[in-house]
Amino acid sequence: MAIGFVVKTLASRLVRLNASNGKFGKELLTNADGSLTVKPRKILSLINLENKTNKGNLIDVVWDVGKKIVGFAIGVINVIRFSAQAIYSFLVQVGFVISTFDWNASDEALKGMIEGQNVALAGTVGGLVGKTVGWGVGIAIGVGISFVIPVIGGAALASAVTLAATKEALQELGASLKAVIRQAIQSAATWAFINGYINIRKMIKNVPLEKLEAIFGKDRAKFLKEQWGNKGGVNYSFAAQTERNIEAINNKYLKAFTEQAIEEGIESFIEAGFIIAAEIDNAYAQSKLQAKDALGTERSVVILPDKDIKNEALIFADIPQNLLKPAIQTTINQHRLIRNRDIGMVMGLPAEEYTRVKPQSLKLVVTLFSVKEPPFFNRKSDNFAWVTISIPDVKRSALDWEKIKAAVGGANGFMWGRYRAIAALDTQRKLIVNAASPTEAEHMIELLLPMTEGKLQTLNITEEKKAGVRLTRRKLQKQSTRVYPAYCTVMNWKELTDPNLGRANLQGNYRQAKGRINLWTEKEPLGTKEIIRELLKVGV
């Protein structure tokens, strides 16, 4: 009994037809109604392979991490999947499109293909808009109902409903948006290719017949000039030409042999390509997994070095766990090392005092900012102020947290400005402070005097005028600004008998001990008394 073939039922015909209509993946083997014409074969499972191996695929791992960190916006990037399987699938699709493209189709037929792509894109966009509106309205109604439900209703239920519904909505909208972007890219590519082909054909048909005959010969030139692209012309796609060549075989055995050999050869080649692409992706994923196992899972951590300073956080984002641990330890140790030290701050005396007087045994430098709590260096404000007040020859009994804070205005600080008070002491040193008014300046000197061993000799208050360069440069003007105590630095010096130790000046060699105490807190920080006690040991 002879073997009979119904050409229209062959899988190769269906694949070529679907590919020419812009379908890909599983859709290559489905009818217009969505049903499978043939029993799923190995090629179908290979086309779907990327869905079955997504757990080990590098791109999917990156997608999962990105979705957790940034969410829906970064998820859209997953539209572009640069895996070996995705690239090969794209090449297969392009190959089907090229093989089924009718190079003799009329301009009207080609423009109809573009219109069909645009109509399909409009439908896909409409579906995305509809889903967006539907989810939005549904979530809004759900939130409203959550507030009015008796007993269990309220903000907590509304929040839970919103979170659950939004998570599901973003997944569906993300898939729809991916489809829209993919179809838009495909439509744009189709439009560019077809319009380019139409324009090139018009240009060739406008060439004089004599020149065409010189290039292509008489018969081909006549076809190009008179028949190429006419409506109802012969289909000159590669697939159609192959079918015509097969149909021209008179021997039915040879014809069946050739038909199956070509079809199975093409499908086997495609299957082999998918297997190779899958192995490449698996090998790449394995190499990344090994690196991940060695370095650990990527994690993001937020550290508050000081629990009382909520606005000062250290952020470690997307760092492998085995690298994150030493990085955190190093950062915390560095913070502990410098937190109570005035890095880069010069605590020296004026040159004339340095040469005339001995180093003071105890000195206190109070730092104030126009910001009440850390981070202090907030220069967004036009009236940002960073003020230091030096108190020489501090009394040992005055080294108390509450007394130091009260000496610079207490928790509310004082109004700093252009009036400068200079108090000369009998120890040949000075107290200097700026304030917003002469009265405020004098009051600040009165608060500071009980802190020092020196006695007041003279007090001069001067005003910084807005003249000269200061008149045009606002940054040089001392605007009236309230400043708050941030921290203070206590320095104690001890004279040494060994000339090779410590720091030397004209009077001898000295060793300095220095410690920092926070003043911005509402209560005395833990360990303040211990810091003062240790500093006072030097020089005893």
Side-chain angles (χ1 to χ4, degrees):
M1 180 177 178
I3 300 175
F5 291 95
V6 180
V7 175
K8 293 183 178 179
T9 63
L10 293 174
S12 60
R13 303 296 188 281
L14 180 64
V15 169
R16 292 167 189 159
L17 176 62
N18 287 335
S20 64
N21 290 329
K23 296 182 180 180
F24 56 92
K26 190 175 181 179
E27 296 176 348
L28 290 173
L29 297 176
T30 58
N31 285 319
D33 60 359
S35 62
L36 286 171
T37 299
V38 294
K39 182 179 179 181
R41 302 169 59 193
K42 189 175 182 181
I43 185 173
L44 180 59
S45 61
L46 286 171
I47 291 174
N48 273 333
L49 186 59
E50 69 176 282
N51 292 330
K52 297 180 180 180
T53 60
N54 58 359
K55 291 185 178 179
N57 189 288
L58 172 67
I59 304 299
D60 290 306
V61 173
V62 175
W63 155 244
D64 289 337
V65 175
K67 184 172 64 175
K68 292 177 182 178
I69 298 174
V70 182
F72 176 64
I74 297 300
V76 176
I77 297 177
N78 192 45
V79 173
I80 306 175
R81 301 172 62 87
F82 293 106
S83 65
Q85 295 176 74
I87 294 173
Y88 183 72
S89 179
F90 171 76
L91 294 177
V92 170
Q93 181 184 352
V94 171
F96 277 124
V97 171
I98 293 176
S99 66
T100 57
F101 181 75
D102 184 5
W103 302 94
N104 193 34
S106 63
D107 291 354
E108 291 76 11
L110 294 177
K111 291 178 180 178
M113 291 178 61
I114 296 177
E115 185 176 357
Q117 292 271 15
N118 293 338
V119 170
L121 177 60
T124 307
V125 173
L128 174 61
V129 173
K131 283 185 177 181
T132 304
V133 174
W135 276 104
V137 173
I139 292 174
I141 294 175
V143 171
I145 294 175
S146 300
F147 278 103
V148 300
I149 293 178
V151 182
I152 63 173
L157 179 61
S159 177
V161 168
T162 303
L163 182 61
T166 301
K167 183 178 179 180
E168 186 68 25
L170 291 181
Q171 291 180 355
E172 288 204 16
L173 294 178
S176 298
L177 182 57
K178 286 167 58 178
V180 169
I181 295 176
R182 185 184 294 113
Q183 193 162 351
I185 294 174
Q186 183 178 343
S187 298
T190 302
W191 177 88
F193 173 74
I194 291 178
N195 277 283
Y197 179 71
I198 291 174
N199 292 331
I200 292 174
R201 184 163 63 184
K202 286 181 180 180
M203 182 179 65
I204 294 176
K205 292 176 74 71
N206 289 332
V207 175
L209 183 60
E210 296 77 11
K211 293 184 178 180
L212 290 177
E213 289 177 350
I215 299 173
F216 300 102
K218 186 174 182 179
D219 292 338
R220 291 182 179 178
K222 184 177 180 180
F223 170 80
L224 293 175
K225 194 74 175 176
E226 298 177 1
Q227 300 179 33
W228 188 22
N230 290 346
K231 189 175 182 180
V234 179
N235 186 337
Y236 276 132
S237 67
F238 294 108
Q241 185 61 41
T242 302
E243 293 299 331
R244 285 194 292 268
N245 293 338
I246 294 174
E247 294 296 330
I249 300 175
N250 294 324
N251 188 309
K252 60 183 179 182
Y253 300 104
L254 180 59
K255 181 178 180 179
F257 172 82
T258 304
E259 173 79 26
Q260 285 298 301
I262 293 176
E263 179 180 349
E264 293 298 332
I266 293 175
E267 292 184 356
S268 298
F269 176 82
I270 294 173
E271 291 176 5
F274 274 113
I275 292 175
I276 294 172
E279 288 301 318
I280 292 174
D281 278 345
N282 288 337
Y284 187 54
Q286 286 295 328
S287 66
K288 298 299 291 184
L289 185 60
Q290 291 175 359
K292 181 180 178 181
D293 291 340
L295 298 177
T297 306
E298 287 189 352
R299 299 185 183 278
S300 298
V301 178
V302 178
I303 298 177
L304 295 176
D306 190 332
K307 65 179 182 179
D308 295 325
I309 307 176
K310 305 299 183 183
N311 296 329
E312 193 172 68
L314 303 177
I315 301 175
F316 298 84
D318 300 336
I319 299 178
Q321 182 170 318
N322 293 341
L323 297 179
L324 181 61
K325 291 179 180 178
I328 292 176
Q329 291 174 351
T330 301
T331 303
I332 292 177
N333 289 336
Q334 289 176 346
H335 184 271
R336 289 174 177 172
L337 181 66
I338 67 173
R339 62 174 298 182
N340 287 327
R341 288 167 173 80
D342 300 291
I343 304 300
M345 184 178 292
V346 179
M347 302 289 185
L349 292 170
E352 65 273 12
E353 289 189 4
Y354 182 82
T355 57
R356 287 188 333 208
V357 300
K358 295 176 63 176
Q360 46 194 310
S361 60
L362 276 176
K363 180 179 179 180
L364 181 66
V365 178
V366 182
T367 303
L368 305 96
F369 291 94
S370 54
V371 182
K372 201 167 188 177
E373 60 184 20
F376 296 114
F377 293 93
N378 180 12
R379 297 182 181 272
K380 295 180 180 180
S381 173
D382 292 337
N383 293 334
F384 174 79
W386 176 10
V387 179
T388 59
I389 299 176
S390 295
I391 307 174
D393 301 315
V394 178
K395 296 177 180 177
R396 290 177 175 267
S397 60
L399 288 180
D400 177 79
W401 186 82
E402 292 184 355
K403 291 181 179 180
I404 296 172
K405 192 167 184 177
V408 290
N412 291 325
F414 69 96
M415 290 299 294
W416 174 83
R418 66 180 186 273
Y419 291 92
R420 184 178 182 87
I422 302 176
L425 306 177
D426 60 359
T427 57
Q428 301 184 29
R429 294 189 173 93
K430 299 174 181 177
L431 272 176
I432 301 174
V433 64
N434 277 70
S437 66
T439 304
E440 182 85 2
E442 185 175 358
H443 175 65
M444 288 305 301
I445 292 294
E446 292 174 354
L447 291 178
L448 293 171
L449 280 173
M451 301 291 293
T452 177
E453 298 282 1
K455 304 300 181 182
L456 179 63
Q457 298 295 304
T458 61
L459 175 62
N460 296 314
I461 299 178
T462 58
E463 180 184 3
E464 184 183 274
K465 296 293 185 180
K466 296 180 182 179
V469 178
R470 288 197 181 96
L471 189 61
T472 57
R473 294 189 182 181
R474 191 173 183 276
K475 293 291 185 180
L476 296 179
Q477 301 173 8
K478 291 182 174 62
Q479 304 292 334
S480 297
T481 307
R482 181 165 293 279
V483 292
Y484 305 91
Y487 54 85
C488 67
T489 302
V490 182
M491 291 177 289
N492 194 9
W493 293 84
K494 177 182 178 181
E495 187 173 1
L496 304 175
T497 57
D498 189 341
N500 297 317
L501 298 179
R503 296 182 182 180
N505 64 8
L506 297 179
Q507 283 75 33
N509 288 48
Y510 297 85
R511 177 187 296 160
Q512 183 193 59
K514 182 168 64 174
R516 174 172 146 172
I517 301 171
N518 287 330
L519 299 175
W520 62 271
T521 56
E522 294 182 0
K523 297 181 179 179
E524 179 179 322
L526 293 175
T528 299
K529 288 182 172 59
E530 288 74 11
I531 294 174
I532 295 175
R533 189 181 302 116
E534 287 299 318
L535 290 172
L536 292 180
K537 287 181 181 179
V538 181
V540 176

